[in-house]
Amino acid sequence: MSKPALKAAKACIASSDWAGLETQCRKAISFEPASYTAHLFLGLALFNLGNHQESEAEYKQAIIIEAEERQQKDRKENPAPYQGLLKIYEAQKRVDEFVDTSIRLASILQDFDERIKCVATVEKAVEFAKNVGTKPQYKRALGCLLPGCPVFEYLEGLIPRPDHTYLKLVEMIEAEEKEKINKEIANRRSRLGSVLTQVKTAVRREVWEASPLEDLYQRILDWSDDEEIRRNVDCKQLQHAYDKLTVFPKEQKLAQRVKVESWARGLVILKYPFELAWKIVIEWKDCESLGDHDVNILREYIEFFPDTGLAMSLKAFLNSEISPFPIVKEEKKVEEADKDAKEKDAKEEKPKEPELIEDIIEERLNSMIDAVEKSKTSVLCHRILGEYYNLIEEYENAVDVARNAKKLIAFESIKTGLAFQKNQDALSVTLGTALIHFEAPKHHNEAKSHFEVVLQHNPNHGNALVGLGLILEEQGEYAGAVDLLNKAMAKDPENVRIISEAAWCNVLQGHYGIGQQGLENCLPKITGNDPRSRDLKAQILWRIGTCIWNADEAGRADRTQGPYKYYTAALHSNQNYAPAYTSLGIYYADILHDVGRANKCFQRAFELSAGEVEAAERLARSFSQTGEWELVEIIARRVAEADKKRSLPGQGISWPQSAIGVVELNNQNYDLAIKSFQSALKNSMDDFHSWIGLGEAYASSGRYTAALKVFTKAIALDGKNWFAKYMLANVNRDLGDFELACEGYREVLEIREREFGVLVDLSETLVAMAWRYIETGYYSRAMNSVVECMTIAEKALQERSDAFNLWKTVGDACMLFSWVQNLAHKFPKEDVLRILQAGDFELSEFDIMADDDDVGQKTLEKMQAGEVDDITSALYCGILAYKRAIFATADDRHAHAVAWYNLGTAEYRTYISLKKREMKHRVASIRCFKRTIKLEPGNHEFWNALGLATAEINPKVAQHSIVRALYINDKNARVWTNLGALYTLQEDYLLANEAFSRAQSTDPEYALAWVGQGIIAGILGEAREAQELFQHAFEISDQSLTPSKKHFITSTFDTLVKTKSEPSMASILTPIFALQKFSAQTSEIPALLQLSALFDERAGDFLAAVEKLERVCSIYETLYDETESEADLIKYAQSKADLARMQLGLQDYASSIENATLALDLSGDIKGLETSRLSAHLAAGLAHYYSQNMDESLEMFKSALTESEENPDVVCLLSQVLWAKGGEDERDVAREQLFACIETHPEHLGSILLLGTIGVLDASEEVTEAVLDDLRAFRSKPQLTRETKQKIDILLTAIAQLANGERHAAAAAAEAVFLRPAMPEAWSRLAEIAESEFAAETALKTVLAMKNVKAEELAEAYSGVAKVGASQRACFLAPWESRGWRALELDVNA
């Protein structure tokens, strides 16, 4: 039943009735499901109806059915279903299915031998993939045209050749890989921490490891018969393989490198001009010598690539002297030049070097340098250039090139995986050889290490053996050098250079016969006439001459067979051989004594080679003898800068660097001088003069510690040299170690007793040391230094009397006494007067400025007659010394200005130092300062001094001067302070404070700026701030400044006076110390002595206070007798009142009463002495009281009460006296006085405490109750001192004990502990009353925790603990306290 349906279906196909076709086909399938034709037609219908998916399924079903039928019947496969599928895939643009189906269809067509249709099918598949598909799909489609495709052999000849197809694939893959690499690098390089070079390597490795290019290149080579294509592909294959090699990891490099080398060598064999292949073959050649290269390959490379850097380098190499290969082209010019040279040698005695050869050498070198510039990564170019540099003796350049080459070969080794051991050894030898001669012997150790490394790989490496032998030769190890050279000679027995070096080593060892014979044997072997041969011959001839010179001193003068013959022969061989000229010059100088000809020879030798040290030194000595120091410097610099220096073997060369150091030192280029001297000492460690120069350079540049070590080393080398000791003393002086400096100068004077410079330096150092002593408070030592200074200055004046520094030192030494006036009696007046009159000097010249200061020749005579006191004599002698300095500096404008400044400073110092401030000295100082400003107006110190001198006379001039000083230098704290002082004098405190603040910011350690600010604070009523500022100024100041001490002392005393509590010892020790130093700096001032006595009183040193006040009273009494001034009388009365009080402290009651009475009698009705009268009344009252004169005591206290207008403290004293008198009436009066005082002064704690104590003693509850509330109120006040609180607690405890017994007393003591648990006294009291062991231990712990504790307090705490050990500690800490001993007695008896 299916046949009608299929027939109808065919009719539908003819009429293109696709819907009917579908209907008929489905009907046929319903009758016969396995109908191949029905499924085929149905697929066609569905395709035309647009139902591609079902259509594809029907075609595939038809293919399956047909396959089953073909298993039953042997027939060929029908192509129709596949053709249908192709239409579907084409319509749907399904490239992969289209290509696969096309290949299948082509195979079927092959079976039917339909070659044309088969070709069309394949070509259509490729074209469809190209137009519709992606690149990978197109590459896959191209596989239809390549071997491996089922129809390739059938269609071969009708489709494109495989090599063409492979080329298309290669082009596509190359583009894809390049794009992928660039894209991945761009993506990864932006990652955090990525390194571009690492990213590139990683990406390329990933892409190239998966790349099929290498296989494709090989397939092209297998199929292609086009030589041009094959060579291009060969190049691409090699390039690709080389690129892969550079990025592959180390373990994969070997296999890849084998392929690269094989392909590269193949291209070279074919002589194909692909540069990479040739460079691989040439550059990868690992050879010990350049002669191991294939010269044919080198020349072919030059021919193919003439413009490359490597070709330029190889061309220059092959035409140079270092090439072992035969000459082909350019060397003919050299042969012609050599021929010309031989002809000239036969005609001339001293042949001239042919210019043609020099030009060719220069041209070769330039070619090699250009080659390295063009091929910066070529190891071979660098190696050739390095060896050529060694040949022409440009060793510094050779070192640089060889070092760079070693870096390049290390990188190349990493990149390719090749060791390049022989190449590396060759470069090491080149570098080592250059280092031998470059700045010899500086780099010998490095060169030696290079040679030793090479010999570890190759013990018979000839050049390494020679190089190491040359180093040993330079180091004086001739035996070892000979052994190494003999080993090298065994490998190359015809090498004349090695033979000559071995013979020369024998000569240097002293084996003159053997050495000379060896050298003479070398001469016949030198047959060439090229420059190298002539140089070698000249060197050997000179060495023979030197051997004869050293071997036979008697035969040195022989001109026929002696050294002269060989020196001249050497010059005939090479007229530019410098050592021969040097030796010939020595011959003329030492044998013929012909200095002129000798100097010509030395000059010629030095012109040819700056490394001819002996010639240079002799020339330098010759020029130094004629005073031509510029030429000496030029010679020294040229020798020092020479790459290679020739001197006696084993001897260091230090004099050129030392000479340069001296020049730089004179030019104040200290860093350069240091480098030069250090370089000299590297060559010769025992060069004494270089050590001295280095030390001086260090000292001049401020590096004193280094200079100290250097001069110590110099003294160790030559302990008898006075100059080294002198320089060491100078350094110690610069370091501020004046004691050591003076010792050094004294040691020098033991050697050079009359050395003027040393005498002056010692005197200056003594003055500097004296000033240091004054700054540190050692005033007596300072004066001793001044006395010694005068002795040294007198010795110096015997040598020279016109030295400005000396007179300045004498003046400074004299003026130092103005800073320590209390020691003016030590002034060596007679010595100084002798000094002032020393030398060729008219005494009338002292009268300069005498019209102003009245200090001149007459003053000198008065001092000689003893009519002037010590301090005035010291000041006047200082002025006279400065006047002599003025005459000593008449020819030096700057020094003259300084001399006038010194004189002005001395005049002003005299004005402020003497008790009677005479205006003449101030006027003289102003004139001096004006004169010095005229001489040097740009010095801020001069303007500052003028401003200081005119401050009180003419404020406008003073301000102008100080402002001018600040304009010149606004970083000087002293000038800012002076400006602040000027504004303070003019009562402009705001500006003054700003000036002082600016001074502090400029130099926070300048004490007077803080003093000035403290003065302003005091003027403005800020007493506390002023005292803090004065204290800070005193703490940071040195001991030379009196203003800081003065204001600190007075402000501290004012603070102590205002403080009601008793000051601590720590608070008054510092001002007492300051007073002692201040007193030593000034002459005896009664006010100062009186203030010191008052401080002693507070320190409890009544004996010292009495001694001082007795001196004060004596001074004032003398002054009153002379002047009868009321002011002196008042001061005398005050001193007597103070003296009475001090004597009371000494328990000298009779003297106290006497002086107090005298003070009362003297004061009378004088106003201003109320405080002194009150003090005298109280002192007398207490003295009478302790003398048991109660009535007199009572009278005195009553008078004191009247004087003080019932001062509560006086009331307390009066009440104590009344109570002590013992009468009931007196005690009632005492109570009444205290009650009245408390009523009038309810805040006076002393009255309350005294009344409470009287109540306890009287057992009067009424009295104790009256004060109980007041005591409790006072107890809580925080401003009370520790002692006052303790008194309140004791009294409250006593009151409680009186009222309610022991139990309430313990409660009161416990209350005190509760209120103040940190007070050990409270715990001790509780322990005593309550007999509490815990309280006693707590008291001890509390005391131990305190920072500031007295020995008595600690002993008391220990004695409260009922233990023998604690009691022993109490006795040890305070043996003067009885409580500890009693506690120990109780503990022992317990």
Side-chain angles (χ1 to χ4, degrees):
M1 293 298 291
S2 63
K3 289 183 179 181
L6 290 175
K7 187 175 181 181
K10 289 179 180 179
C12 290
I13 293 173
S15 61
S16 299
D17 183 7
W18 309 115
L21 178 62
E22 178 184 5
T23 303
Q24 295 301 324
C25 289
R26 292 191 184 280
K27 184 185 293 184
I29 291 171
S30 63
F31 291 112
E32 190 178 353
S35 174
Y36 165 78
T37 305
H39 282 285
L40 182 66
F41 288 168
L42 181 58
L44 177 62
L46 291 172
F47 172 75
N48 287 295
L49 290 173
N51 193 347
H52 295 163
Q53 186 174 0
E54 292 185 15
S55 175
E56 180 182 4
E58 293 301 324
Y59 280 133
K60 289 181 177 179
Q61 185 63 33
I63 292 170
I64 294 171
I65 293 171
E66 186 189 25
E68 292 176 352
E69 291 176 354
R70 280 190 288 109
Q71 289 179 358
Q72 297 173 3
K73 298 179 182 180
D74 185 15
R75 65 178 184 181
K76 297 179 181 178
E77 189 175 4
N78 196 324
Y82 294 99
Q83 292 171 340
L85 286 173
L86 286 177
K87 290 180 180 180
I88 294 171
Y89 294 150
E90 185 177 7
Q92 291 182 335
K93 297 182 179 181
R94 294 166 63 181
V95 177
D96 292 331
E97 290 83 350
F98 188 91
V99 172
D100 292 340
T101 304
S102 296
I103 293 172
R104 181 59 187 158
L105 177 60
S107 299
I108 295 171
L109 293 173
Q110 179 183 358
D111 293 340
F112 287 99
D113 196 20
E114 296 285 345
R115 193 181 297 273
I116 301 302
K117 291 182 179 180
C118 183
V119 170
T121 301
V122 172
E123 289 178 346
K124 184 177 180 181
V126 173
E127 189 66 23
F128 180 73
K130 179 180 179 182
N131 295 331
V132 177
T134 61
K135 286 184 179 180
Q137 290 171 334
Y138 179 53
K139 289 189 293 183
R140 185 167 177 270
L142 286 174
C144 299
L145 306 176
L146 295 173
C149 180
V151 295
F152 173 76
E153 293 181 358
Y154 178 67
L155 298 178
E156 189 174 4
L158 297 177
I159 59 176
R161 287 173 57 87
D163 54 325
H164 295 165
T165 306
Y166 282 129
L167 283 172
K168 288 183 181 179
L169 283 172
V170 164
E171 290 175 2
M172 294 174 64
I173 293 172
E174 285 176 346
E176 288 176 2
E177 288 184 354
K178 183 177 180 180
E179 182 181 356
K180 184 176 181 181
I181 289 171
N182 292 336
K183 185 177 180 180
E184 281 297 313
I185 290 173
N187 290 336
R188 297 187 190 183
R189 69 182 299 177
S190 59
R191 295 177 183 174
L192 187 64
S194 63
V195 180
L196 182 59
T197 54
Q198 296 177 358
V199 169
K200 288 181 177 180
T201 302
V203 170
R204 288 168 180 168
R205 183 188 302 135
E206 291 174 9
V207 172
W208 289 340
E209 279 182 342
S211 174
L213 284 176
E214 197 170 301
D215 181 61
L216 291 175
Y217 291 139
Q218 189 60 47
R219 288 174 182 262
I220 293 172
L221 294 174
D222 293 341
W223 282 96
S224 178
D225 53 5
D226 187 327
E227 283 301 318
E228 184 178 353
I229 293 176
R230 288 176 63 83
R231 296 295 78 79
N232 287 335
V233 172
D234 277 334
C235 295
K236 285 187 175 184
Q237 184 183 42
L238 175 61
Q239 185 68 58
H240 181 72
Y242 178 79
D243 291 340
K244 289 171 70 174
L245 173 65
T246 59
V247 299
F248 272 10
K250 186 176 181 180
E251 57 273 10
Q252 298 178 17
K253 285 186 183 291
L254 178 60
Q256 187 69 17
R257 188 174 65 247
V258 170
K259 291 190 289 185
V260 170
E261 285 186 293
S262 174
W263 293 336
R265 193 163 297 280
L267 284 171
V268 171
I269 292 171
L270 294 173
K271 295 182 173 53
Y272 188 76
F274 182 56
E275 188 181 1
L276 177 62
W278 291 84
K279 288 182 72 174
I280 288 172
V281 171
I282 295 172
E283 293 273 8
W284 286 14
K285 177 73 172 179
D286 193 20
C287 52
E288 183 177 322
S289 168
L290 292 174
D292 295 340
H293 280 278
D294 187 338
V295 68
N296 295 320
I297 292 178
L298 300 183
R299 288 186 173 128
E300 287 167 357
Y301 177 84
I302 295 170
E303 183 179 352
F304 285 133
F305 314 102
D307 296 328
T308 62
L310 181 58
M312 294 169 60
S313 181
L314 290 173
K315 185 177 180 181
F317 162 69
L318 292 175
N319 295 332
S320 70
E321 300 90 329
I322 60 175
S323 171
F325 304 115
I327 300 171
V328 175
K329 294 180 181 179
E330 219 173 52
E331 288 80 310
K332 292 180 180 178
K333 298 180 182 179
V334 182
E335 288 179 344
E336 294 173 1
D338 290 344
K339 185 176 180 181
D340 294 339
K342 289 179 180 179
E343 293 176 357
K344 291 182 180 180
D345 284 344
K347 296 178 181 179
E348 300 178 7
E349 183 179 355
K350 293 184 179 179
K352 185 177 180 181
E353 189 73 25
E355 294 182 1
L356 178 60
I357 294 178
E358 293 181 356
D359 294 339
I360 291 175
I361 291 174
E362 185 71 21
E363 183 181 350
R364 289 171 187 162
L365 179 61
N366 290 335
S367 296
M368 291 179 184
I369 294 172
D370 293 340
V372 169
E373 288 297 321
K374 291 185 76 172
S375 300
K376 294 183 178 179
T377 60
S378 172
V379 177
L380 184 57
C381 288
H382 283 79
R383 179 176 175 181
I384 291 170
L385 180 58
E387 293 192 10
Y388 199 71
Y389 271 136
N390 276 344
L391 174 72
I392 61 177
E393 298 183 354
E394 292 190 17
Y395 299 114
E396 183 176 4
N397 293 330
V399 168
D400 294 337
V401 171
R403 289 192 195 280
N404 195 29
K406 287 181 73 67
K407 293 178 183 177
L408 290 174
I409 201 169
F411 177 75
E412 193 69 20
S413 179
I414 294 172
K415 188 168 68 172
T416 63
L418 287 167
F420 294 116
Q421 189 61 63
K422 293 180 180 179
N423 288 345
Q424 292 205 47
D425 289 347
L427 290 173
S428 296
V429 170
T430 301
L431 177 58
T433 304
L435 289 171
I436 292 174
H437 305 288
F438 175 53
E439 294 183 353
K442 180 179 179 180
H443 303 290
H444 280 181
N445 289 336
E446 183 184 353
K448 188 176 181 180
S449 66
H450 287 301
F451 292 133
E452 289 173 346
V453 169
V454 172
L455 292 173
Q456 287 177 0
H457 303 122
N458 185 0
N460 296 319
H461 196 291
N463 291 333
L465 290 169
V466 172
L468 196 55
L470 292 176
I471 293 175
L472 295 178
E473 177 185 328
E474 289 286 339
Q475 294 176 347
E477 299 180 20
Y478 304 119
V482 169
D483 291 340
L484 291 171
L485 291 170
N486 287 336
K487 287 181 181 180
M489 202 187 309
K491 185 176 181 182
D492 189 2
E494 297 301 320
N495 192 314
V496 179
R497 290 187 179 275
I498 299 176
I499 298 170
S500 66
E501 286 297 335
W504 179 239
C505 286
N506 283 319
V507 172
L508 295 176
Q509 287 186 87
H511 305 155
Y512 300 115
I514 299 173
Q516 184 177 349
Q517 183 63 41
L519 291 169
E520 290 175 348
N521 291 338
C522 293
L523 291 174
K525 297 181 180 181
I526 304 174
T527 57
N529 199 31
D530 58 280
R532 291 187 69 189
S533 299
R534 295 208 307 274
D535 286 348
L536 180 58
K537 185 176 181 180
Q539 183 190 61
I540 293 173
L541 288 168
W542 171 78
R543 286 179 171 179
I544 294 172
T546 304
C547 177
I548 296 172
W549 178 278
N550 294 331
D552 185 10
E553 293 186 11
R556 289 179 178 179
D558 187 356
R559 295 172 66 95
T560 58
Q561 297 299 323
Y564 178 82
K565 169 189 173 182
Y566 291 96
Y567 295 152
T568 54
L571 292 176
H572 280 294
S573 178
N574 181 4
Q575 63 179 0
N576 294 326
Y577 190 64
Y581 282 108
T582 301
S583 298
L584 199 58
I586 295 172
Y587 171 81
Y588 284 131
D590 297 349
I591 303 301
L592 301 183
H593 306 291
D594 188 344
V595 178
R597 296 181 71 180
N599 283 344
K600 288 181 180 179
C601 291
F602 292 140
Q603 191 168 352
R604 178 60 178 162
F606 187 65
E607 288 174 356
L608 292 171
S609 173
E612 286 296 309
V613 178
E614 181 69 19
E617 185 172 4
R618 290 191 178 232
L619 269 181
R621 291 185 185 278
S622 176
F623 287 135
S624 66
Q625 290 171 2
T626 58
E628 298 177 77
W629 294 104
E630 293 182 358
L631 294 176
V632 173
E633 179 186 354
I634 292 171
I635 291 171
R637 287 194 180 278
R638 283 196 59 192
V639 174
E641 293 169 2
D643 289 342
K644 183 180 179 182
K645 303 177 182 66
R646 190 187 66 83
S647 64
L648 294 177
Q651 290 187 2
I653 306 168
S654 62
W655 70 265
Q657 292 87 351
S658 184
I660 294 171
V662 172
V663 173
E664 298 294 355
L665 193 60
N666 291 333
N667 293 334
Q668 298 183 1
N669 298 326
Y670 302 122
D671 290 338
L672 296 177
I674 289 169
K675 291 180 180 178
S676 297
F677 287 124
Q678 286 176 338
S679 180
L681 290 170
K682 286 179 181 178
N683 294 326
S684 179
M685 286 296 294
D686 296 332
D687 187 351
F688 173 80
H689 296 289
S690 294
W691 282 108
I692 293 294
L694 178 61
E696 192 170 354
Y698 275 138
S700 300
S701 62
R703 297 163 67 177
Y704 299 116
T705 305
L708 198 67
K709 295 178 181 178
V710 169
F711 286 128
T712 304
K713 173 66 176 177
I715 293 173
L717 290 174
D718 186 358
K720 296 181 180 180
N721 189 287
W722 70 272
F723 189 73
K725 295 181 179 180
Y726 170 68
M727 293 303 296
L728 180 62
N730 286 342
V731 172
N732 282 321
R733 181 183 64 182
D734 293 335
L735 285 170
D737 198 344
F738 299 120
E739 290 86 351
L740 279 178
C742 289
E743 290 178 9
Y745 289 132
R746 293 187 190 106
E747 288 182 13
V748 174
L749 289 174
E750 291 177 1
I751 303 171
R752 309 272 294 193
E753 185 178 356
R754 312 303 298 178
E755 188 67 38
F756 178 76
V758 181
L759 290 168
V760 172
D761 285 340
L762 177 56
S763 61
E764 290 178 345
T765 306
L766 287 167
V767 171
M769 184 165 64
W771 183 250
R772 172 70 61 80
Y773 283 143
I774 290 175
E775 290 178 341
T776 52
Y778 297 103
Y779 301 133
S780 183
R781 294 184 187 179
M783 296 305 102
N784 292 337
S785 295
V786 170
V787 173
E788 184 182 357
C789 171
M790 294 303 180
T791 304
I792 300 300
E794 189 173 5
K795 292 181 180 180
L797 285 169
Q798 294 174 7
E799 304 300 320
R800 279 182 59 189
S801 62
D802 59 345
F804 164 68
N805 287 348
L806 184 57
W807 289 113
K808 179 184 180 299
T809 301
V810 172
D812 291 346
C814 293
M815 299 308 294
L816 282 175
F817 282 93
S818 67
W819 297 91
V820 192
Q821 297 183 20
N822 201 29
L823 298 176
H825 61 277
K826 290 190 174 184
F827 178 64
K829 185 190 298 184
E830 295 180 359
D831 294 342
V832 177
L833 292 175
R834 282 198 311 273
I835 291 172
L836 290 173
Q837 301 175 70
D840 186 12
F841 182 76
E842 292 292 336
L843 297 181
S844 59
E845 294 181 359
F846 281 133
D847 292 334
I848 183 174
M849 295 287 294
D851 294 338
D852 295 314
D853 61 5
D854 198 22
V855 178
Q857 184 177 356
K858 292 182 179 179
T859 307
L860 188 67
E861 295 172 355
K862 289 180 181 179
M863 288 189 288
Q864 289 174 335
E867 299 176 9
V868 185
D869 61 70
D870 291 334
I871 184 60
T872 306
S873 296
L875 294 170
Y876 284 173
C877 285
I879 291 173
L880 293 175
Y882 289 134
K883 287 183 177 181
R884 284 209 63 170
I886 290 175
F887 288 99
T889 58
D891 298 331
D892 188 340
R893 183 181 181 85
H894 174 70
H896 200 55
V898 174
W900 279 106
Y901 171 74
N902 292 337
L903 179 59
T905 304
E907 295 282 5
Y908 189 75
R909 184 66 190 169
T910 302
Y911 166 73
I912 64 174
S913 297
L914 296 178
K915 292 180 181 179
K916 295 180 180 180
R917 294 195 170 188
E918 301 183 50
M919 186 57 67
K920 61 182 182 181
H921 293 298
R922 188 168 197 167
V923 173
S925 70
I926 293 172
R927 287 194 59 188
C928 291
F929 293 142
K930 287 181 177 179
R931 184 167 295 189
T932 195
I933 288 172
K934 288 180 181 179
L935 291 170
E936 191 175 336
N939 192 312
H940 73 280
E941 292 286 355
F942 299 165
W943 286 102
N944 176 59
L946 180 61
L948 188 62
T950 58
E952 295 171 313
I953 299 175
N954 193 333
K956 291 184 178 179
V957 173
Q959 184 183 24
H960 170 76
S961 300
I962 295 175
V963 171
R964 181 67 179 173
L966 289 173
Y967 175 78
I968 298 171
N969 180 12
D970 63 347
K971 301 298 183 183
N972 193 306
R974 188 149 43 93
V975 182
W976 282 107
T977 303
N978 290 340
L979 183 61
L982 177 63
Y983 287 145
T984 303
L985 291 174
Q986 302 306 312
E987 300 181 0
D988 192 340
Y989 303 125
L990 181 61
L991 283 177
N993 191 58
E994 290 181 2
F996 289 133
S997 298
R998 184 65 181 272
Q1000 292 166 4
S1001 63
T1002 303
D1003 183 5
E1005 298 298 319
Y1006 188 61
L1008 293 183
W1010 298 94
V1011 172
Q1013 208 165 38
I1015 292 172
I1016 293 176
I1019 293 172
L1020 298 177
E1022 301 290 341
R1024 182 178 182 83
E1025 182 181 355
Q1027 200 276 332
E1028 291 176 353
L1029 289 168
F1030 291 139
Q1031 182 173 354
H1032 178 68
F1034 173 74
E1035 290 172 351
I1036 66 174
S1037 69
D1038 55 57
Q1039 295 299 318
S1040 65
L1041 295 177
T1042 55
S1044 58
K1045 298 188 189 74
K1046 176 182 176 182
H1047 288 286
F1048 169 64
I1049 294 164
T1050 54
S1051 63
T1052 303
F1053 185 76
D1054 292 341
T1055 303
L1056 292 176
V1057 169
K1058 294 176 183 178
T1059 303
K1060 294 183 179 180
S1061 60
E1062 183 180 351
S1064 63
M1065 182 61 69
S1067 64
I1068 60 176
L1069 281 178
T1070 303
I1072 289 174
F1073 170 76
L1075 258 172
Q1076 290 175 351
K1077 296 299 180 182
F1078 188 42
S1079 300
Q1081 288 185 269
T1082 57
S1083 56
E1084 199 169 59
I1085 301 174
L1088 189 61
L1089 289 172
Q1090 190 171 5
L1091 182 60
S1092 179
L1094 295 176
F1095 271 108
D1096 290 338
E1097 176 188 14
R1098 282 159 176 75
D1101 190 0
F1102 297 108
L1103 183 61
V1106 167
E1107 292 176 356
K1108 293 173 184 176
L1109 285 172
E1110 285 177 347
R1111 292 207 307 274
V1112 171
C1113 292
S1114 176
I1115 293 170
Y1116 283 134
E1117 185 177 5
T1118 303
L1119 290 173
Y1120 182 74
D1121 291 341
E1122 293 176 356
T1123 62
E1124 295 186 358
S1125 169
E1126 184 176 348
D1128 293 332
L1129 180 62
I1130 291 173
K1131 292 176 182 177
Y1132 180 64
Q1134 289 173 338
S1135 302
K1136 282 294 183 181
D1138 290 340
L1139 179 60
R1141 194 170 62 253
M1142 306 305 164
Q1143 289 170 336
L1144 178 64
L1146 284 176
Q1147 299 180 5
D1148 186 359
Y1149 304 125
S1151 299
S1152 177
I1153 293 170
E1154 179 184 352
N1155 287 305
T1157 304
L1158 179 58
L1160 291 171
D1161 293 340
L1162 291 173
S1163 59
D1165 297 329
I1166 299 175
K1167 293 182 179 180
L1169 290 176
E1170 290 80 5
T1171 304
S1172 297
R1173 287 179 59 79
L1174 177 60
S1175 174
H1177 278 115
L1178 292 175
L1182 289 171
H1184 282 300
Y1185 173 77
Y1186 289 115
S1187 299
Q1188 303 301 319
N1189 301 325
M1190 296 302 175
D1191 293 332
E1192 291 81 354
S1193 175
L1194 186 60
E1195 291 300 324
M1196 285 294 177
F1197 282 128
K1198 287 179 180 179
S1199 300
L1201 190 61
T1202 305
E1203 289 278 354
S1204 66
E1205 297 179 354
E1206 297 188 356
N1207 185 288
D1209 292 325
V1210 179
V1211 171
C1212 290
L1213 289 172
L1214 178 60
S1215 299
Q1216 287 177 341
V1217 173
L1218 289 171
W1219 182 266
K1221 191 173 182 182
E1224 193 61 35
D1225 294 336
E1226 288 80 357
R1227 293 188 177 186
D1228 290 339
V1229 172
R1231 294 190 191 94
E1232 291 173 3
Q1233 288 287 340
L1234 288 173
F1235 274 115
C1237 180
I1238 293 172
E1239 185 177 354
T1240 308
H1241 304 283
E1243 296 297 320
H1244 191 257
L1245 181 59
S1247 303
I1248 299 172
L1249 288 172
L1250 183 59
L1251 183 60
T1253 303
I1254 291 174
V1256 171
L1257 294 174
D1258 288 342
S1260 173
E1261 294 184 6
E1262 181 182 354
V1263 174
T1264 55
E1265 288 178 3
V1267 300
L1268 192 60
D1269 292 337
D1270 292 333
L1271 289 173
R1272 286 175 176 166
F1274 269 104
R1275 190 183 204 180
S1276 60
K1277 291 183 177 181
Q1279 66 270 21
L1280 296 180
T1281 63
R1282 178 181 169 189
E1283 291 78 7
T1284 304
K1285 293 176 182 177
Q1286 185 176 358
K1287 290 178 182 179
I1288 294 173
D1289 292 339
I1290 292 172
L1291 184 56
L1292 287 173
T1293 303
I1295 291 172
Q1297 188 175 11
L1298 175 67
N1300 301 300
E1302 293 293 335
R1303 198 172 88 182
H1304 284 79
E1311 184 181 356
V1313 168
F1314 177 77
L1315 290 173
R1316 285 179 285 277
M1319 286 184 61
E1321 299 87 354
W1323 287 101
S1324 297
R1325 194 176 307 109
L1326 177 61
E1328 185 177 354
I1329 294 172
E1331 296 181 356
S1332 170
E1333 184 178 348
F1334 171 77
E1337 291 177 353
T1338 305
L1340 179 59
K1341 292 178 181 178
T1342 307
V1343 171
L1344 293 174
M1346 294 172 64
K1347 292 184 178 179
N1348 298 320
V1349 61
K1350 297 179 181 179
E1352 294 87 345
E1353 295 173 343
L1354 191 56
E1356 181 182 357
Y1358 272 114
S1359 62
V1361 180
K1363 294 180 181 178
V1364 175
S1367 300
Q1368 288 175 332
R1369 285 176 179 259
C1371 295
F1372 174 77
L1373 290 168
W1376 58 87
E1377 289 287 329
S1378 60
R1379 182 169 179 175
W1381 296 102
R1382 290 199 300 270
L1384 180 60
E1385 181 182 5
L1386 292 173
D1387 293 337
V1388 171
N1389 295 331

